[in-house]
Every structure is written in C-alpha cells, then in structure tokens.
C-alpha cells in the first residue's frame, strides 16, 4: 500500500501503512497530530456519521438555526457545531496523547471529501 497525504485549505489528512505506531495524520495548515490506525478509522467513520446527521437535520431547522452534535468511540470524541451546510469540527483523543483539535467551517468540506477517498485498509 502506498503512503498518502491529502491537503487543502485548512486541513491535512494522511495515511502511512508502513509506520510502526502512528499510521494516520490529521491537521490543518498550522498543526498536525499523528493517529494510530484504530484512531484514524474511528475518526473517519464518526466524521462521516456526523456529516450525515447534519445533512439529515437540515429540513428540520430554520435557515438561521445552528445546531451541534457529538459522538465518540473508546478512542476519539467528535463534535460538529454550526449550520447544516457550514459547521466546525472538533476532535479530542481520549487515550494516550489526549489531543484537542479543531477545523473551521471552510476546512470541513474538503476534509470530508478527503476522508471519503482515503484508502486506509
């Protein structure tokens, strides 16, 4: 499998199957944190679930109404907050490094697209 690094305005996402411990990477233009294979898998799965929830809630909300959703696994906690079409994303690693991270509303769409195309397994 080939190492991958995808990046865009305000986001980075990477996968290196040959790395010993930290095969994944998430970040922005100014910071990055390495993730284990399991952390990256949970991050990707849960981000897509939250995006789906935000999309599904759009018909239920008034145009100016903001909302927030959160979800977690044993490894990561994620939260989205904003409008169904424009929201920020927060990440907290729940084990080991206990890192906190955040992506802006403008970065999230590109990050979502990259997650859908990342070949992890």
């Amino acid at each position: 499998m080939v190492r991958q690094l995808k990046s865009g305005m305000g986001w980075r996402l990477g996968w290196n199957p040959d790395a010993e411990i930290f095969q994944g990477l998430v970040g922005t233009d100014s910071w990055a944190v390495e993730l284990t294979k399991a952390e990256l898998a949970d991050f990707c799965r849960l981000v897509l679930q939250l995006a789906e929830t935000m999309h599904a809630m759009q018909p239920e909300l008034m145009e100016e109404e903001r909302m927030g959703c959160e979800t977690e696994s044993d490894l990561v906690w994620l939260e989205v907050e904003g409008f169904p079409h424009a929201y920020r994303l927060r990440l907290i690693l729940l084990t080991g490094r206990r890192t906190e991270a955040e992506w802006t509303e403008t970065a999230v769409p590109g990050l979502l697209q990259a997650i859908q195309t990342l070949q992890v397994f």
Side-chain angles (χ1 to χ4, degrees), residues 35-85:
L35 303 178
T36 64
K37 181 178 181 178
E39 289 168 341
L40 182 63
D42 282 3
F43 173 79
C44 291
R45 176 178 55 83
L46 295 175
V47 166
L48 293 175
Q49 285 179 2
L50 286 171
E52 190 175 296
T53 299
M54 291 296 278
H55 179 73
M57 290 301 297
Q58 191 162 0
E60 307 299 322
L61 302 174
M62 292 186 294
E63 189 174 318
E64 68 279 356
E65 195 170 6
R66 298 173 66 88
M67 66 175 282
C69 296
E70 63 182 64
T71 189
E72 67 183 280
S73 70
D74 291 340
L75 303 174
V76 300
W77 174 89
L78 295 169
E79 175 191 57
V80 292
E81 191 274 321
F83 299 104
H85 63 278

Side-chain angles (χ1 to χ4, degrees), residues 15-35:
W15 170 247
N16 181 359
D18 298 327
E20 190 172 319
I21 297 172
F22 299 108
Q23 294 90 3
L25 178 125
V26 296
T28 69
D29 300 330
S30 59
W31 62 265
V33 63
E34 294 178 314
L35 303 178

Side-chain angles (χ1 to χ4, degrees), residues 92-113:
I92 297 177
L93 296 181
L94 299 175
T95 62
R97 298 157 329 276
R98 301 216 186 256
T99 301
E100 285 191 43
E102 185 170 350
W103 292 266
T104 65
E105 291 93 348
T106 57
V108 170
L111 180 61
L112 284 170
Q113 187 175 27

